[in-house]
Amino acid sequence: MNKRFMALILVVVMTTGLPLTSHAENSSPSPKRDSTELQYQDMLMIVLLPHIEAAVREHYSKSLKEQLIVYPYYVDVTEVKRVNGFRGFHFILTLEAHPTVGPHITVGKDRLVFEVAPTLPGGMVKLVEFQHLETHEVPPHWQDMVK
């Protein structure tokens, strides 16, 4: 009787056009609207992305044949510290990246700590620490890219 009742409810909802609410949209951690903070973070990713990819590719080159891609929207800024006080231009940035292969297949999760300052020798960005946090199994049809 329960199954018949549920089927009847489903048919009524589908034929009358009553909306079924879903909370799936709220489960996504990605932002749904633009903001000044998001714009600044995206600009920061444009500047840091070559440094992030270099560190990630070096780590994964030992285990993968194919070159990785790090998409800027798969990098999260987890912490920013201003080293020398208010309006100082020396920062320590902690990021978490999810490198991918092929059609957005994530292969892991990594924490990168960068020092960013105009006074650094050799440039404004220096990788301070790289920590591999997780390894994700690639699908069976991508196993040929694993060393």
Side-chain angles (χ1 to χ4, degrees):
M1 178 131 166
N2 249 349
K3 290 181 183 178
R4 286 185 180 171
F5 181 71
M6 291 302 289
L8 178 64
I9 295 287
L10 185 60
V11 168
V12 169
V13 168
M14 290 175 67
T15 57
T16 60
L18 294 174
L20 292 173
T21 58
S22 170
H23 301 285
E25 183 178 327
N26 296 335
S27 65
S28 174
S30 62
K32 300 297 181 211
R33 292 190 192 112
D34 205 3
S35 67
T36 302
E37 181 180 354
L38 185 60
Q39 290 173 357
Y40 289 149
Q41 181 173 325
D42 289 349
M43 284 187 280
L44 179 64
M45 287 307 108
I46 291 170
V47 173
L48 291 180
L49 200 57
H51 303 281
I52 295 168
E53 282 188 326
V56 166
R57 285 178 176 169
E58 181 181 337
H59 173 77
Y60 287 93
S61 69
K62 300 167 189 130
S63 60
L64 299 175
K65 295 176 191 174
E66 189 166 315
Q67 201 168 72
L68 297 168
I69 298 171
V70 178
Y71 292 101
Y73 45 84
Y74 280 176
V75 179
D76 299 313
V77 178
T78 58
E79 187 176 13
V80 177
K81 291 181 187 175
R82 195 184 291 263
V83 175
N84 53 355
F86 179 69
R87 296 297 292 176
F89 293 94
H90 188 174
F91 297 92
I92 302 294
L93 305 170
T94 304
L95 313 170
E96 287 188 358
H98 302 267
T100 65
V101 292
H104 290 73
I105 300 169
T106 61
V107 293
K109 179 179 175 181
D110 305 294
R111 181 173 294 128
L112 299 96
V113 179
F114 287 100
E115 184 176 5
V116 179
T119 56
L120 290 175
M124 292 182 19
V125 179
K126 176 184 169 189
L127 179 65
V128 176
E129 180 183 342
F130 180 92
Q131 183 181 9
H132 179 69
L133 302 175
E134 296 174 7
T135 300
H136 300 167
E137 194 69 31
V138 294
H141 60 283
W142 279 85
Q143 288 296 318
D144 61 329
M145 61 152 303
V146 177
K147 287 185 179 178

